[in-house]
Each structure stands twice: as structure tokens, then as C-alpha cells.
Amino acid sequence: MPTQSTPRATALAAATLLLSAALAGCGGSDDSKDEDLSAQKLSWKDCPAPDAAEGGGEAPSPLPGGAEWQCATMKAPLDWSKPKGDTVDIALIKAATSGDKGDRIGSLVFNFGGPGGSGITTLPAFGEDYAKLRTRYDLVSFDPRGVGRSAGIRCEDDSALDTYFQQDSTPDDEAERKKHVDNVREFNNGCEENAGKTLPHVRTTDAARDMDLMRQVLGDDKLHYFGISYGTELGGVYAHLFPKKVGRAVFDAVVDPTETAEQGSLGQAKGFQLALDNFAEDCTSQEADCPVGDTEQDVKDRIAKLLKDLDRKPIRGIPPRELTQTAATNGIAQSLYSKDFWPYLTQGLEEAYEGDGKILMALSDSMNGRNEDGEYSNIQSANVSINCADDKARYDTQYVEKRLPEFRKASPLFGDYLAWGMVGCTDWAVEGQADHPDVSAGGAPPIVVIGNTGDPATPYEGARKMAQALGKGVGVELTYKGQGHGAYDSKNKCVRSAVDSYLLDGTVPTEGTVCS
């Protein structure tokens, strides 16, 4: 739920990794005009520390057993309609299989969502969760074009982003509406200026074609794939473009590919409201008193009052910044991505009611890709750039105002926030590609599609829509009755067993399997 975009889904990494500018434009040159890029040889080396656009931090630690992460750069056409033209550098990361050479299936490529999440930083952060899969696969991920080290787009500097993410994103009158639109326009102009010739070439279809080139360069006949959140949309687009090249594929935290940007935002309003309802129910059903409300409705009423008060007067956040209504809403949404974060939400609300907003602000910073040193990754810049290149719709303030009642009905807390997010692409310099992605993939092998009944960012219904859109005999739906964004990383044994059995042994789960 990035602050100013109209996302189809939000990066799992942004929801999980709590607590200088990226190079824009083309990451390569025109030196491969006569080269067959599918024949290029990757030079794998020890991974450097992530750069600022990827979120910064230290180089990835070795895996259990001492295996080192390796990084490489792949050249891809900047413009896939001109495959012999300029190139863009795509950053890759790999952990070689831990199993016997004879048991190796190939590479398992991960995309963790966003759009805008860095695979270079996220895969090592979750490496131990995929240890069993590494017994038969090399684990591989990448920074998609426009993200991190892959010609990462940077729309504004850190100081400007601090201001941008603090702005009033739920305007109440004409003056506030004008200021909001002006801020979005300034941000978008920065994207255009800094991205240069990369901006028109960061669509999901471009990334899907990059993945097929990646498959060839990695030496695999088929693409074995694990997509999470937006990664399921990317996987669906790949399956549509290259159905005969799909290997074993799993989609988790599934995007509804039939929705427009508006429908996706409305679905998120309902999803985050459901997650908030579940949080309130959980808090008030414990034996100990719920410290943020006496009843479920009281919990939600007190949160609503807090946000209303913050709209009028912010409170102390992380100095020198204050906690605004927008930052608090963003922080609350961040905490709903995983049930593991609910205690942080409880503590953050308790402290905010006493005038201290540092926990909610830290959660908001995590969502926006800001580290403790005040540096931002490019996750939000990339998120907006990719979404706006993908989505054809352009919404103005008059349209949003007409739609506000339905958004408020879907979520009294998040409705305004997500409705006004729809103006994020209004002044975008590049025309959007389509109303929604085409994921029809007749002729592809079975793809396991997992929906989580309590998912706030990619509501459960999207899994069935994806399975249907992939086509008969392709999408195989599995339901997880749980909370949070995604299922595999919940560590639910039923989900893990089904996914592992498919990816490792090829055993397709029974259609309609339910895990709880």
C-alpha cells in the first residue's frame, strides 16, 4: 500500500523488512548490437553490500553450511521491440543448490512483489525459509528493470521524499486537493527527469521478457518460478507470453488480474479493513485487557479519532519529523501485513494515544523504504513508475470525489487514503499499457495459485480470478485460512508441504485444497 501509487499489490519485502541516489537511465550501452544476448556468460562473484536504491545494509551473510551468495549482471535490450539496440543491466543474485548434482532440477527464480521490491536484498533475507527448495534448485532472484541496481529510477532526493511522504493524502477542501495534486505532479516530473529513456521500458511485459532471457542465460529449458504479491502478476504475464516455457510455478499472495487500477484500490480498501477488523477482534478476545479498546468497535473508533486528530495537529514522531495523519495511516497499514506485526501496532497505538508517534512512524518508514539514516530505497519510485507504465487508466480529482462514497463504505479508515492514491498516475509522462494484464496461458503446465483468506493487500478472491484467467487445467487453486500477506512464509505446514511437494517432486496439489 505505497503512499502515492495505485498499486495492484505491495512488496512482501516492504512489509517484512522493518528497519546516493540510484543510477537512473540505461544501465548498459549499445555495445551488444551484434551480440546474441541469450548466449552471454554471467560472471558470478561475491555479492557487494546492497546499494542505497536497494535499501543499503551489509553484504548478505552466508547460508547455513557456509554457502555464499553470488551476484552477476545480465544485459537485456532496453527496448524489446529493438533487441539489437541499447541494453539495460539486470542485477541477479544466486545461491547454488545444496543437494547432489544429479538431483538438481534447475534454477528457481523468485520475485517478491511491489512492484519495486529488490530481489537482491529480499532473497537473502528469507534464504533460510527456502532451504528445502535449495536441495534441488539454485535459488535466484533479481532487481527488475527500474528497481535497485537495474537502472533504478529515483524520483526525488531523500529530503524531498521526507516531505512527500508526510503530505496530507486525504484532502478535505479545494486548497488541500490542489496542494495534493501539485505534490504528486512534482514527484512525477522528477521521475521523468531522472529516469530518462528508461521510463517507457519498465512495464511488466518488459520484465517478463527479461525473465525469459534470464532462463536462457541460466541454462534452463523451462522457467521454474516462485512469485509473491505483484510477482504473481509478473508470473502470469510471463505464462501468457511464454506458455510452453513455464516449468513448475507457484503464485502466492495473488493479484487479481481482471481488475482495473481502481478496482484494485477498492479491493485493497476492503482487504485492509478486514485485516483491521481481525486485529481488533484478536486484541479484544484475549484474556488480558486489550490496551487500545474495550470492544472491537471501540478499537476502531479510537483509531479513527487518532487519525482525525492528527489531520488537525501532528504529534512527535522520529525527531525532527512529526507523525502526520498520512504517516500514521501508512504505519497502521504496514502492521497489518503480518499477524506477527500486530503487537507493534498495539504498542504503537498505545504510545500515539499518549502523544508519542515514533513506532507508527517507524512502521511507515519501513513501508516507504526509509532506513534509520534517512536514506530511501527506490521502492516507491519504482512502484509508481511500473504501475503507471502498466495501467492505462488516468483518474482526476473530480472522478475521485465521485468515487469517495464507495471507498468509504469499503473502509471507513482506509477508503479516502486509497481513493486519493488513484491520482498518482494522472500526469504521468508515459501512456499506460492496458486496463489490466493478460495472463491467459493455454498450453502451460499446472501453476499452483495460493489465496490467503485474511490477506489485506491482495484479497483472497484474487486467487480464484487468477486461476480462472490462467485457463482450464493451468491454474490450480489452494486456500490458506490465515492472516497476513501471503501463505508460504506463514510457515503453515499444510501450505509448505503442498508447495514443496510440487516444486521438488512435481506432485500437483488437489484442486480446492484448503489449509488452516
Side-chain angles (χ1 to χ4, degrees), residues 97-158:
T97 179
S98 61
D100 294 334
K101 186 176 181 181
D103 292 332
R104 181 181 179 275
I105 295 171
S107 301
L108 182 61
V109 176
F110 289 79
N111 181 278
F112 296 93
S118 167
I120 302 295
T121 57
T122 308
L123 181 57
F126 291 97
E128 292 187 29
D129 287 348
Y130 305 119
K132 190 168 184 179
L133 299 177
R134 196 166 71 89
T135 60
R136 301 201 67 189
Y137 291 98
D138 297 339
L139 304 183
V140 176
S141 193
F142 62 108
D143 287 354
R145 53 175 64 208
V147 177
R149 280 203 292 264
S150 299
I153 294 171
R154 175 89 166 181
C155 299
E156 293 187 316
D157 63 25
D158 293 332

Side-chain angles (χ1 to χ4, degrees), residues 275-286:
L276 184 68
D277 293 345
N278 291 337
F279 161 76
E281 179 183 11
D282 179 79
C283 187
T284 56
S285 66
Q286 304 296 323

Side-chain angles (χ1 to χ4, degrees), residues 56-383:
E58 299 180 353
S61 301
L63 286 155
E68 296 284 350
W69 292 96
Q70 298 284 297
C71 287
T73 300
M74 179 188 79
K75 288 189 179 297
L78 174 65
D79 182 347
W80 271 101
S81 70
K82 300 175 182 178
K84 298 297 185 180
D86 292 353
T87 61
V88 62
D89 288 349
I90 307 297
L92 280 69
I93 189 167
K94 177 182 75 171
T97 179
S98 61
D100 294 334
K101 186 176 181 181
D103 292 332
R104 181 181 179 275
I105 295 171
S107 301
L108 182 61
V109 176
F110 289 79
N111 181 278
F112 296 93
S118 167
I120 302 295
T121 57
T122 308
L123 181 57
F126 291 97
E128 292 187 29
D129 287 348
Y130 305 119
K132 190 168 184 179
L133 299 177
R134 196 166 71 89
T135 60
R136 301 201 67 189
Y137 291 98
D138 297 339
L139 304 183
V140 176
S141 193
F142 62 108
D143 287 354
R145 53 175 64 208
V147 177
R149 280 203 292 264
S150 299
I153 294 171
R154 175 89 166 181
C155 299
E156 293 187 316
D157 63 25
D158 293 332
S159 177
L161 288 175
D162 270 347
T163 300
Y164 186 65
F165 292 129
Q166 291 287 87
Q167 69 168 301
D168 187 347
S169 297
T170 56
D172 300 313
D173 55 39
E174 183 58 35
E176 290 184 355
R177 284 191 289 272
K178 183 180 185 304
K179 185 174 182 180
H180 177 63
V181 171
D182 287 346
N183 288 338
V184 171
R185 183 180 294 114
E186 183 178 354
F187 178 89
N188 291 355
N189 288 342
C191 301
E192 180 183 8
E193 180 180 346
N194 295 327
K197 58 185 177 180
T198 304
L199 201 65
H201 304 296
V202 295
R203 295 188 169 102
T204 298
T205 50
D206 296 314
R209 294 185 185 281
D210 291 343
M211 287 205 304
D212 197 59
L213 178 61
M214 193 182 307
R215 171 191 65 78
Q216 297 171 68
V217 171
L218 291 170
D220 292 330
D221 292 332
K222 304 284 186 179
L223 179 76
H224 305 294
Y225 181 74
F226 199 136
I228 302 165
S229 195
Y230 160 81
T232 66
E233 179 178 327
L234 175 58
V237 169
Y238 179 89
H240 171 69
L241 294 174
F242 308 101
K244 300 297 185 181
K245 296 300 182 182
V246 176
R248 298 175 188 174
V250 173
F251 295 175
D252 187 7
V254 183
V255 172
D256 184 342
T258 69
E259 291 181 330
T260 64
E262 177 187 353
Q263 291 166 338
S265 293
L266 186 61
Q268 283 198 332
K270 295 175 182 177
F272 278 99
Q273 187 64 46
L274 174 63
L276 184 68
D277 293 345
N278 291 337
F279 161 76
E281 179 183 11
D282 179 79
C283 187
T284 56
S285 66
Q286 304 296 323
E287 289 187 12
D289 290 341
C290 176
V292 292
D294 297 327
T295 65
E296 294 175 40
Q297 191 59 50
D298 186 39
V299 171
K300 291 182 284 188
D301 287 345
R302 292 189 68 188
I303 294 174
K305 183 179 184 303
L306 171 68
L307 295 178
K308 185 176 180 179
D309 291 344
L310 290 172
D311 190 29
R312 185 179 66 255
K313 184 179 180 181
I315 61 175
R316 183 175 70 255
I318 298 176
R321 294 174 300 148
E322 294 182 313
L323 182 74
T324 63
Q325 180 193 46
T326 294
T329 305
N330 214 32
I332 292 167
Q334 169 74 315
S335 68
L336 296 175
Y337 273 86
S338 170
K339 193 172 182 178
D340 292 342
F341 294 170
W342 288 3
Y344 297 114
L345 176 56
T346 300
Q347 185 180 355
L349 290 171
E350 277 191 279
E351 294 187 6
Y353 295 149
E354 298 299 321
D356 184 349
K358 64 178 180 296
I359 291 179
L360 292 183
M361 176 155 275
L363 289 163
S364 180
D365 285 347
S366 173
M367 176 77 85
N368 291 328
R370 187 186 196 272
N371 66 25
E372 294 177 339
D373 295 329
E375 294 179 330
Y376 284 88
S377 74
N378 90 312
I379 186 169
Q380 295 294 10
S381 296
N383 180 281

